[in-house]
């Protein structure tokens, strides 16, 4: 599955989302649970705004000096016996990883959860190279079994499924014969996966943050699967987006605190793993060979632009969990593995406006996302910047809209035109008005009145009343 | 205190009552009000749609209109937040940027002005009714006005204000969003109406005509017996 999911057009996807009651109920209850946990965890920490400011400063500093830190990271990984590969494109990344798999004659690959490997469609490349790939994060495992259903949430990829659907998938694909109780489902998955861990040749992980000063990678999980992926197979490949980097362990501490609290409302997750290179002599576990693949895939084009702060994202999904648009349409409607507000900002940057020109408009600009972001990405402002770019630089806005906005500018910057226009409004709208409201509006009003009444313009505008009052006529 | 009214285009054309109550309320509180009649719209529809060249012209006009005012007060958090945004439009024009920032520093939403500038929490209104209050996103999050409306409503004699479930969620207006993304906006406003109904309140109060037009429009379409009032009307109510 690549970043783009499905071939349906935007409004077809939205309609499917809106009509999917199962999914919507799951999203609503997950959002409410996660919002509550996040707020409690944030309050408990205290001085949240100070923490956010610190998070933003760390991310901004790192991105502004990304060349330096990438070089430092690369040197330190190499020093510890690891291999580093910089991939400019997804093709380069997949080619390198496939080459390593072939060299190792890897038949079975176990993976822990990673969005960047979804983005570059790594599983398909590995399968082409003759490997069997097994997702070991429970959510990802469920999706993989269910005919490679794409993730619908950055942190909880199978959020759109309920436990009955999961039970049916296990039953159909793996002969599961127990109930839909979550503990039973999880136990079954664990038993299935245990054998895979033991017999895997290659382990692939994502990377929450790489620590430049020591050449380490860190992984934040609740299931412990990343620990097994990195402990058992002889070869480990870690894939990271080039921006997922911190200068030292001190900044890692702060960002992991922000991540866990914002994402799942926990102080820390069950497992926070730090790994530095392949195993040393005398180590009881760990890979003999370690590769770090640093993926650009369009990210460096964002550096230095008005969208740079989008790269501050630490993939916590706090913005997704508060978004009222995501709440009603679900993740798949975004047509990208990156859903929700950060998805609406990032996807057009990485995937282009041709496929994703609607996403910046799929927001009421309510700014709940901006408020929730632990590293202060001004998400709703970035959506407005996308819109400006689409209109003014790309010139992709509809002709009728351009005309309307030109008319608006003329009227709103010329008081006489404005006054004449508003004065005639009630007369113009009179034929459409019934008992003080408009139920079937003409032209551009139609979409509004398809679902709502529109108020009829007042016969006496405020300014008319005010003038009369000044003259003492009221 | 001299106050220039920024009535907003929606109130001027569709909700002139909101403007009238704003005038009366401010006068009651001892303000000397004037209405610079050159004023039009704040430019938000164009700005949020990405038409920033067009917005600049509108912003320049509004900056000129209120250049000599001491305070600019409007009955809409969203439109006032837009006045405060103008600075961003003139990053490369220092003279205009300075003027924009001057306007921003003297512009207030109505309830914010009453509580923060006039330092009044009790406006001696009375309205025996059961209501719920819709927090507008732009007013709460962009302008940062969180407590003022509640403080003022708490002092309205006879008014019971029920908490609105999921009050942090947007009503689905979002300006052009409401017409460009109808299927999504419809779901959002439906959920909002459902939450309003759950409170059992007879009146929905809001501080922004845009949100009220959206929620009220859906309430009307569905034939629900809920009255929609702007907070200026409530604060200017007197039941003897």
């Amino acid at each position: 599955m690549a970043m783009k999911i499905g071939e349906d057009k935007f409004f077809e996807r939205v309609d499917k989302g809106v009509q999917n009651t199962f999914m919507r109920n799951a999203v609503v209850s997950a959002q409410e649970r996660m919002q509550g946990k996040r707020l409690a965890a944030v309050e408990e920490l205290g001085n949240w705004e100070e923490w956010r400011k610190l998070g933003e400063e760390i991310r901004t500093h790192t991105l502004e000096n990304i060349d330096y830190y990438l070089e430092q990271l690369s040197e330190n990984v190499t020093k510890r016996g690891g291999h580093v590969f910089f991939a400019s494109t997804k093709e380069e990344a997949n080619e390198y990883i496939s080459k390593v798999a072939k060299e190792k004659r890897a038949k079975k690959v176990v993976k822990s959860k990673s969005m960047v490997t979804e983005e570059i469609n790594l599983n398909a490349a590995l399968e082409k190279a003759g490997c069997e790939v097994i997702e070991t994060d429970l959510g990802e495992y469920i999706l993989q079994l269910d005919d490679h259903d794409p993730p619908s949430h950055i942190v909880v990829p199978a959020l759109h499924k309920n436990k009955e659907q999961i039970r049916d998938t296990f039953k159909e694909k793996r002969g599961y014969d127990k109930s839909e109780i979550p503990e039973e489902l999880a136990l079954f998955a664990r038993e299935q996966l245990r054998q895979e861990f033991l017999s895997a040749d290659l382990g692939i992980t994502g990377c929450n943050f790489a620590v430049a000063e020591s050449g380490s990678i860190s992984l934040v999980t609740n299931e412990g699967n990343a620990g097994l992926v990195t402990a058992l197979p002889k070869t480990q490949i870690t894939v990271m987006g080039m921006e997922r980097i911190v200068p030292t362990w001190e900044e890692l501490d702060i960002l992991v605190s922000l991540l866990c609290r914002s994402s799942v409302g926990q102080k820390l997750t069950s497992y926070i793993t730090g790994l530095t290179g392949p195993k040393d002599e005398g180590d009881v576990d760990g890979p003999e060979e370690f590769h770090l693949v640093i993926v650009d895939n369009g990210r460096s084009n964002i550096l230095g632009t008005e969208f740079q702060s989008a790269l501050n994202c630490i993939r916590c999904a706090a913005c997704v969990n508060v978004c009222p648009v995501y709440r009603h349409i679900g993740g798949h409607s975004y047509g990208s593995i990156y859903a929700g507000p950060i998805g609406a900002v990032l996807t057009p940057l990485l995937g282009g406006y041709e496929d994703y020109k609607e996403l910046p408009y799929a927001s009421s600009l309510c700014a709940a996302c901006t408020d929730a972001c632990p590293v202060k990405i001004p998400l709703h402002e970035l959506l407005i910047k996308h819109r400006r770019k689409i209109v003014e630089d790309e010139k992709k806005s509809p002709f009728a809209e351009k005309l309307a906005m030109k008319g608006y500018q003329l009227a709103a910057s010329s008081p006489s035109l404005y006054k004449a226009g508003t004065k005639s409004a009630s007369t113009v709208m009179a034929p459409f008005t019934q008992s003080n409201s408009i139920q079937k509006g003409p032209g551009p009003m139609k979409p509004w009145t398809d679902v709502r009444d529109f108020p009829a313009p007042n016969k006496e505008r405020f300014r008319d009343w005010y003038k009369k009052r000044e003259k003492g006529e009221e | 205190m001299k106050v220039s009214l920024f009535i907003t285009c929606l109130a001027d054309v569709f909700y002139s009552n909101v403007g009238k109550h704003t005038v009366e309320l401010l006068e009651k509180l001892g303000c000397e009000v004037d209405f610079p009649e050159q004023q039009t719209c704040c430019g938000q529809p164009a700005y949020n749609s990405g038409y920033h060249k067009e917005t600049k012209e509108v912003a320049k006009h509004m900056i000129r209109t209120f250049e000599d005012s001491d305070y600019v007060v409007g009955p809409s958090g969203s439109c006032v937040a837009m006045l405060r945004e103008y600075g961003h439009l003139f990053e490369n024009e220092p003279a205009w940027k300075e003027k924009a920032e001057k306007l921003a520093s003297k512009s207030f939403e109505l309830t914010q002005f009453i509580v923060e500038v006039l330092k009044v929490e009790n406006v001696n209104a009375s309205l025996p009714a059961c209501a719920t209050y819709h927090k507008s996103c732009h007013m709460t999050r962009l302008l940062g006005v969180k407590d003022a409306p509640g403080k003022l409503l708490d002092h309205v004699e006879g008014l019971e204000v029920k908490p609105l479930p999921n009050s942090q969620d947007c009503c689905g207006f979002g300006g052009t969003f409401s017409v460009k993304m109808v299927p999504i906006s419809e779901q959002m406003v439906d959920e909002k109406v459902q939450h309003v109904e759950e409170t059992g309140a007879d009146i929905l109060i809001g501080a922004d005509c845009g949100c009220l037009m959206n929620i009220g429009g859906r309430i009307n379409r569905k034939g629900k017996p809920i009255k929609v009032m702007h907070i200026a009307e409530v604060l200017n109510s007197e039941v003897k």
Side-chain angles (χ1 to χ4, degrees):
Chain A
M1 203 61 63
M3 188 174 79
K4 185 176 177 186
I5 50 174
E7 291 301 323
D8 285 348
K9 291 194 183 342
F10 177 75
F11 282 103
E12 292 168 4
R13 301 197 301 263
V14 166
D15 283 344
K16 275 189 194 166
V18 163
Q19 284 155 23
N20 187 343
T21 320
F22 262 135
M23 178 278 290
R24 288 181 58 184
N25 288 339
V27 170
V28 165
S29 76
Q31 270 200 338
E32 288 178 6
R33 196 173 61 244
M34 291 193 275
Q35 280 183 35
K37 283 176 75 175
R38 179 179 72 89
L39 289 173
V42 157
E43 199 176 320
E44 188 195 55
L45 188 62
N47 303 323
W48 181 243
E49 288 309 309
E50 301 279 310
W51 278 87
R52 288 178 82 205
K53 215 169 140 234
L54 200 54
E56 183 196 22
E57 280 168 11
I58 294 170
R59 294 299 293 141
T60 307
H61 166 84
T62 311
L63 285 171
E64 278 170 2
N65 300 283
I66 189 105
D67 289 357
Y68 173 82
Y69 289 118
L70 282 171
E71 203 180 318
Q72 194 188 13
L73 172 71
S74 167
E75 271 175 19
N76 286 327
V77 171
T78 314
K79 230 184 266 173
R80 297 297 297 254
H83 307 270
V84 179
F85 180 74
F86 284 93
S88 317
T89 61
K90 58 182 179 208
E91 288 79 14
E92 279 181 28
N94 287 335
E95 209 175 293
Y96 178 83
I97 298 165
S98 304
K99 191 175 77 152
V100 174
K102 278 183 185 159
E103 275 168 16
K104 297 289 145 195
R105 298 178 202 283
K107 288 275 164 267
K108 188 179 279 187
V109 179
V110 282
K111 272 184 75 204
S112 69
K113 188 179 167 333
S114 149
M115 291 305 281
V116 70
T117 60
E118 296 279 341
E119 178 188 318
I120 64 174
N121 206 6
L122 175 62
N123 288 11
L126 282 170
E127 278 158 15
K128 213 171 145 199
C131 300
E132 184 196 357
V133 185
I134 297 122
E135 295 288 348
T136 64
D137 169 84
L138 181 56
E140 294 284 0
Y141 178 69
I142 292 163
L143 295 181
Q144 191 181 33
L145 282 189
D146 195 8
D147 302 327
H148 304 275
D149 195 15
S152 70
H153 186 280
I154 302 170
V155 175
V156 193
L159 182 82
H160 56 289
K161 294 199 177 298
N162 64 20
K163 50 187 193 278
E164 287 77 15
Q165 288 169 315
I166 297 165
R167 177 201 58 203
D168 294 345
T169 303
F170 282 3
K171 195 169 150 186
E172 196 184 315
K173 307 286 180 181
R174 282 287 184 276
Y176 176 70
D177 59 3
K178 294 205 172 71
S179 78
E180 71 283 357
I181 297 168
E183 285 77 5
E184 277 186 356
L185 291 169
L187 183 65
F188 176 76
R190 188 183 299 158
E191 281 164 358
Q192 295 274 309
L193 286 169
R194 188 164 296 160
Q195 297 312 312
E196 311 286 10
F197 284 122
L198 288 167
S199 53
D201 309 298
L202 186 60
I204 293 184
T205 77
C207 170
N208 287 97
F209 300 102
V211 186
E213 71 169 348
S214 61
S216 311
I217 62 141
S218 72
L219 297 162
V220 175
T221 71
N222 265 322
E223 293 170 20
N225 59 316
L228 292 168
V229 166
T230 56
L232 299 172
K234 282 188 174 163
T235 307
Q236 179 191 337
I237 301 175
T238 291
V239 190
M240 65 178 265
M242 62 171 253
E243 79 284 11
R244 307 300 293 274
I245 191 167
V246 288
T248 75
W249 289 87
E250 212 171 314
E251 288 86 26
L252 179 80
D253 179 10
I254 294 160
L255 290 182
V256 166
S257 295
L258 287 167
L259 173 64
C260 299
R261 286 182 195 258
S262 303
S263 169
V264 278
Q266 289 171 277
K267 282 184 204 168
L268 295 172
T269 48
S270 309
Y271 300 90
I272 294 170
T273 313
L275 297 162
T276 312
K279 74 172 175 182
D280 286 329
E281 262 178 58
D283 283 354
V284 286
D285 56 21
E288 289 165 9
E289 199 172 305
F290 172 74
H291 298 259
L292 180 63
V293 178
I294 301 173
V295 179
D296 184 330
N297 201 30
R299 286 163 174 73
S300 54
N301 297 334
I302 306 172
L303 283 171
T305 70
E306 57 187 329
F307 297 101
Q308 180 171 301
S309 61
L311 294 175
N312 284 0
C313 178
I314 58 172
R315 305 286 190 268
C316 69
C319 63
V320 183
N321 296 341
V322 297
C323 179
V325 170
Y326 178 89
R327 180 180 180 87
H328 292 289
I329 64 174
H332 289 168
S333 298
Y334 289 78
S336 160
I337 54 154
Y338 298 117
I342 185 62
V345 170
L346 200 58
T347 304
L349 292 173
L350 296 176
Y353 291 123
E354 210 48 61
D355 280 337
Y356 295 112
K357 64 179 180 303
E358 292 91 355
L359 289 188
Y361 298 93
S363 163
S364 63
L365 305 176
C366 77
C369 49
T370 301
D371 250 19
C373 178
V375 289
K376 297 185 82 155
I377 305 172
L379 288 154
H380 77 283
E381 287 174 23
L382 295 183
L383 291 173
I384 297 176
K385 286 184 198 292
H386 266 308
R387 296 179 188 186
R388 190 209 59 77
K389 207 174 160 194
I390 291 169
V391 170
E392 292 182 353
D393 302 348
E394 307 279 323
K395 309 210 183 303
K396 281 190 187 336
S397 61
F399 179 70
E401 185 186 276
K402 262 184 250 172
L403 213 60
M405 287 298 173
K406 198 71 205 162
Y408 167 83
Q409 178 218 313
L410 288 174
S413 48
S414 148
S416 54
L417 260 180
Y418 176 85
K419 279 184 231 171
T422 55
K423 195 170 180 62
S424 63
S426 76
T427 319
V428 173
M429 294 316 297
F432 304 97
T433 305
Q434 271 178 334
S435 56
N436 233 6
S437 68
I438 299 161
Q439 275 119 36
K440 276 190 181 158
M445 275 175 69
K446 191 184 172 296
W448 176 284
T449 53
D450 278 347
V451 291
R452 290 155 288 223
D453 291 358
F454 197 81
N458 293 137
K459 285 202 177 69
E460 185 187 59
R461 293 166 306 174
F462 169 81
R463 62 183 65 228
D464 305 324
W465 172 83
Y466 192 83
K467 203 167 241 174
K468 278 206 306 203
R469 187 171 186 262
E470 269 192 317
K471 287 183 190 159
E473 290 170 15
E474 268 292 322
Chain B
M1 200 170 286
K2 280 172 121 177
V3 173
S4 293
L5 298 165
F6 163 41
I7 280 308
T8 82
C9 58
L10 280 186
D12 187 18
V13 180
F14 298 101
Y15 299 100
S16 50
N17 254 326
V18 170
K20 294 176 198 172
H21 288 291
T22 303
V23 174
E24 289 175 6
L25 179 62
L26 286 169
E27 285 182 348
K28 231 188 257 179
L29 295 167
C31 298
E32 190 187 322
V33 300
D34 77 295
F35 175 72
E37 66 150 3
Q38 299 295 87
Q39 66 181 269
T40 54
C41 167
C42 64
Q44 196 173 175
Y47 182 72
N48 284 351
S49 303
Y51 292 79
H52 292 193
K53 275 186 208 131
E54 286 78 356
T55 316
K56 270 188 178 182
E57 294 310 308
V58 178
K60 283 181 181 172
H61 171 68
M62 293 295 271
I63 290 170
R64 281 189 211 107
T65 302
F66 290 107
E67 207 151 19
D68 298 325
S69 304
D70 294 344
Y71 288 103
V72 178
V73 177
S76 157
S78 180
C79 308
V80 172
M82 184 63 217
L83 297 186
R84 291 195 176 190
E85 274 294 299
Y86 284 175
H88 292 305
L89 286 166
F90 300 109
E91 292 301 344
N92 302 318
E93 295 170 66
W96 277 105
K97 191 173 166 64
E98 197 187 323
K99 288 181 189 196
E101 280 166 1
K102 202 173 150 208
L103 174 62
S105 66
K106 64 185 182 188
S107 300
F108 295 87
E109 181 276 330
L110 177 65
T111 64
Q112 179 188 31
F113 180 73
I114 296 173
V115 173
E116 291 175 18
V117 181
L118 299 180
K119 310 276 180 205
V120 171
E121 290 186 8
N122 186 350
V123 296
N124 293 318
S126 70
L127 181 69
C130 174
T132 189
Y133 175 74
H134 167 66
K135 285 185 200 170
S136 292
C137 304
H138 282 192
M139 173 149 151
T140 315
R141 298 197 184 98
L142 303 193
L143 199 58
V145 182
K146 295 190 168 81
D147 306 327
K151 282 180 181 164
L152 292 167
L153 290 175
D154 276 350
H155 287 95
V156 175
E157 202 186 310
L159 184 71
E160 183 193 357
V161 184
K162 299 259 192 191
L164 182 63
N166 291 55
S167 64
Q168 75 285 354
D169 282 351
C170 173
C171 69
F173 175 54
T176 51
F177 173 80
S178 60
V179 288
K180 271 196 169 179
M181 294 280 158
V182 172
I184 310 174
S185 175
E186 180 184 5
Q187 299 304 315
M188 288 162 72
V189 70
D190 255 357
E191 192 181 16
K192 187 58 73 183
V193 171
Q194 183 200 324
H195 287 314
V196 171
E197 276 190 292
E198 279 168 21
T199 65
D202 306 313
I203 301 172
L204 170 69
I205 302 170
D208 198 306
C209 293
C211 311
L212 292 179
M213 187 164 93
N214 182 45
I215 310 171
R218 186 66 177 167
I219 285 175
N220 277 357
R221 178 61 55 91
K222 294 197 134 188
K224 308 275 183 194
I226 299 166
K227 192 179 169 190
V228 172
M229 285 178 89
H230 189 278
I231 195 162
E233 299 175 72
V234 176
L235 297 177
N236 195 40
S237 293
E238 271 179 76
V239 181
K240 291 276 157 32

